[in-house]
Amino acid sequence: MSELVTAAMVVIGDEILSGRTKDRNIGHLADMLTAVGIDLREVRVVSDDETAIVEAVNALRARNTYVFTTGGIGPTHDDITADSIARAFGRPCGYDEKAYRLLEEHYGRRGIEFSEARKRMARMPEGAEHIENPISVAPGFRVENVYVMAGVPAIFQAMLDNVIPKLRTGARLISETIPSPLPEGAIGGPLGEIQAAHPETIIGSYPKYQDGSFWTEIVVRSRSREALAAAVEATRHMLEAIPARQVVKG
Amino acid sequence: MSELVTAAMVVIGDEILSGRTKDRNIGHLADMLTAVGIDLREVRVVSDDETAIVEAVNALRARNTYVFTTGGIGPTHDDITADSIARAFGRPCGYDEKAYRLLEEHYGRRGIEFSEARKRMARMPEGAEHIENPISVAPGFRVENVYVMAGVPAIFQAMLDNVIPKLRTGARLISETIPSPLPEGAIGGPLGEIQAAHPETIIGSYPKYQDGSFWTEIVVRSRSREALAAAVEATRHMLEAIPARQVVKG
């Protein structure tokens, strides 16, 4: 059985915390990591503030296999991610020669000024490795176990597609979903007993509220196909044994 | 001028980290707090794990006026928020008498068993104050500056509506949005100078990518109407002075 591989995410941006932009990257990263068997353990959304970014990145990189960041790598004054990551690792931050040439050529070919602002996008911590950006050229980068990517969803997704195949992946968590018309309160007790009897599984219970009624989605997860099947069977038996009159509002 | 009021959020739930459920509460809380002049400073998404919840809540409540949590207050074994909050405050956790009676009557009236699982929803840290739940009765609660609410969006929103009027609110951050057909790289330099010259404002620059082209949304924020107007005017002048040929792809 493969080793457990864990990850954390740092979403960088005042616009998410003000509500002006609704994040779409957390859900996408969660989906992608789950698909390849990496456990996303924690997400932090922090403001465009160097101290906040450094604190979050350093706390999370110490205790996870990988850290992924989104946001703050563009050309404007509020794009401070490269400097913050450099500070987190105690490395100098400056123009990366390869990124500088890449951007210089890109803008040169199009007759666009390679402005001081655009040059900012070539800034990286010393020794960073590029993450290719097929959409707008300016690369993301990796320093040790920290992957620094764009916040614009289309670019983030394209960068992540280049990163995922290089990651060490874990045993995939397989899951089975059991919908139940019963509200959580009717099944919580026996479900807890099933969880206790099947320690190799993680049983989640998610209340759903629709048209004035509660129902429940039970999700059984495991890295072992056998353990999953046993817990699912126990859950189905349990649900069948509960009288139908429990299907009620509230 | 009012004092600065800050907040943090803790989203509790394995289902968000696995990607199975896409969070909708971060954006809603951010919008509501911005509207009343409270600065949301940080959000953490943590798993259904007591140590993780305690660590996040204790770190954030020490440095913010308010902390808001969502998720994990239902009747099943994976609903461990009440116990975790109690541990964070070093208080015992047990049945809250008022909540117990409320739920007992609610289920009694409907002829539904008040099961051990449903009784879990009456558990709260000692001394907690209720947050009313107009949808499914089981209350959220407040301990000192920490507000504990449901994860189901409809219930979270209803609880939050009961909480917001009781909060100390700050001077509202007012904002003005200036769309620009120019990509960030064309305006980043002068925009940084405008930010430096207008320290009472926060100028954000958000790259937008659509149909193969980049454009930029510039958002100027301030607690002072005069400072906002001055920075907006400077930004508009700057944009008008940039040659139109800069409107390009990439």
Side-chain angles (χ1 to χ4, degrees):
Chain A
M1 196 165 150
S2 332
E3 204 185 327
L4 197 65
V5 184
T6 69
M9 179 184 197
V10 183
V11 176
I12 298 162
D14 288 351
E15 71 277 23
I16 307 291
L17 293 171
S18 73
R20 167 160 202 90
T21 299
K22 301 294 180 277
D23 170 80
R24 286 157 48 200
N25 296 332
I26 296 174
H28 180 75
L29 181 68
D31 283 338
M32 295 291 282
L33 294 180
T34 298
V36 298
I38 296 176
D39 263 13
L40 180 60
R41 286 285 174 87
E42 184 174 349
V43 178
R44 296 195 190 178
V45 186
V46 300
S47 65
D48 298 323
D49 174 81
E50 189 168 296
T51 304
I53 299 169
V54 170
E55 186 198 306
V57 167
N58 279 343
L60 296 172
R61 74 186 174 98
R63 61 186 187 207
N64 288 284
T65 318
Y66 299 115
V67 173
F68 303 95
T69 80
T70 60
I73 63 167
T76 56
H77 64 278
D78 56 352
D79 290 306
I80 59 167
T81 299
D83 289 274
S84 305
I85 299 294
R87 205 182 109 202
F89 281 95
R91 297 190 186 189
C93 189
Y95 290 135
D96 175 273
E97 211 180 307
K98 207 173 75 179
Y100 192 98
R101 279 201 315 266
L102 193 71
L103 289 164
E104 192 174 34
E105 281 169 26
H106 170 72
Y107 291 113
R109 267 200 314 275
R110 296 162 167 237
I112 300 169
E113 187 200 350
F114 189 33
S115 60
E116 286 306 309
R118 292 193 172 101
K119 286 178 188 168
R120 277 180 72 79
M121 294 189 286
R123 286 172 61 78
M124 287 182 195
E126 200 173 275
E129 182 184 275
H130 288 199
I131 298 171
E132 209 194 324
N133 171 355
I135 293 181
S136 56
V137 181
F141 59 84
R142 176 183 73 82
V143 180
E144 295 182 18
N145 63 338
V146 178
Y147 293 77
V148 176
M149 290 174 280
V152 175
I155 305 176
F156 167 64
Q157 290 168 23
M159 286 181 171
L160 188 63
D161 286 343
N162 289 329
V163 165
I164 292 275
K166 295 177 185 163
L167 302 177
R168 189 156 61 79
T169 53
R172 209 182 136 188
L173 203 61
I174 48 175
S175 73
E176 194 162 331
T177 300
I178 308 163
S180 162
L182 300 165
E184 278 197 313
I187 58 179
L191 197 63
E193 287 162 25
I194 293 172
Q195 171 70 87
H198 294 83
E200 262 196 89
T201 66
I202 305 159
I203 305 181
S205 163
Y206 307 113
K208 303 284 172 176
Y209 179 71
Q210 211 168 14
D211 304 329
S213 282
F214 280 92
W215 59 282
T216 309
E217 205 167 62
I218 300 166
V219 181
V220 185
R221 296 186 186 86
S222 182
R223 294 194 151 74
S224 148
R225 202 162 288 279
E226 295 70 34
L228 181 76
V232 166
E233 201 194 332
T235 303
R236 290 197 198 282
H237 280 161
M238 180 272 287
L239 291 175
E240 283 162 19
I242 294 178
R245 69 165 182 81
Q246 294 271 17
V247 185
V248 289
K249 290 195 177 189
Chain B
M1 197 164 151
S2 333
E3 205 185 324
L4 197 62
V5 184
T6 69
M9 179 184 198
V10 183
V11 177
I12 299 163
D14 288 351
E15 71 277 23
I16 306 292
L17 293 170
S18 73
R20 165 159 204 90
T21 300
K22 302 294 180 278
D23 170 80
R24 286 157 48 199
N25 297 332
I26 297 174
H28 180 75
L29 181 68
D31 282 339
M32 294 292 281
L33 294 180
T34 298
V36 298
I38 296 175
D39 263 13
L40 180 61
R41 285 285 174 88
E42 184 174 350
V43 178
R44 296 194 189 179
V45 186
V46 300
S47 66
D48 298 324
D49 173 83
E50 189 167 297
T51 305
I53 299 168
V54 169
E55 187 198 306
V57 167
N58 279 342
L60 297 173
R61 73 185 173 99
R63 61 188 189 205
N64 288 283
T65 318
Y66 299 115
V67 173
F68 303 95
T69 81
T70 61
I73 62 168
T76 57
H77 64 278
D78 57 351
D79 290 307
I80 60 167
T81 299
D83 289 274
S84 305
I85 299 294
R87 205 181 110 201
F89 281 95
R91 297 192 187 188
C93 189
Y95 290 136
D96 175 274
E97 212 180 306
K98 206 173 76 179
Y100 192 97
R101 279 202 316 267
L102 193 70
L103 290 164
E104 193 175 33
E105 281 170 25
H106 169 73
Y107 291 113
R109 266 200 315 275
R110 297 162 166 234
I112 301 170
E113 187 201 350
F114 189 33
S115 61
E116 286 305 311
R118 292 193 172 101
K119 286 177 188 169
R120 278 181 69 81
M121 294 190 286
R123 286 172 62 78
M124 288 183 194
E126 200 173 274
E129 182 184 276
H130 288 199
I131 299 170
E132 209 193 323
N133 171 355
I135 293 182
S136 56
V137 180
F141 59 85
R142 175 183 74 81
V143 179
E144 294 182 15
N145 63 337
V146 178
Y147 292 76
V148 175
M149 290 173 279
V152 175
I155 305 177
F156 167 65
Q157 290 168 22
M159 286 181 172
L160 188 63
D161 285 344
N162 289 328
V163 165
I164 292 276
K166 294 175 185 164
L167 303 176
R168 190 156 61 78
T169 53
R172 210 181 136 192
L173 203 61
I174 48 175
S175 73
E176 193 162 331
T177 300
I178 308 162
S180 162
L182 300 166
E184 276 199 313
I187 58 177
L191 197 62
E193 288 163 25
I194 293 171
Q195 172 69 87
H198 295 81
E200 262 196 88
T201 66
I202 306 159
I203 305 181
S205 163
Y206 307 113
K208 303 285 172 176
Y209 178 71
Q210 210 167 15
D211 304 329
S213 281
F214 280 92
W215 58 284
T216 309
E217 205 167 63
I218 300 166
V219 181
V220 185
R221 297 186 186 85
S222 182
R223 295 193 150 75
S224 148
R225 201 162 287 281
E226 294 70 36
L228 181 77
V232 166
E233 201 193 330
T235 304
R236 291 198 197 282
H237 279 159
M238 180 272 286
L239 292 174
E240 284 162 20
I242 294 177
R245 69 165 181 82
Q246 294 271 17
V247 185
V248 288
K249 289 196 180 194

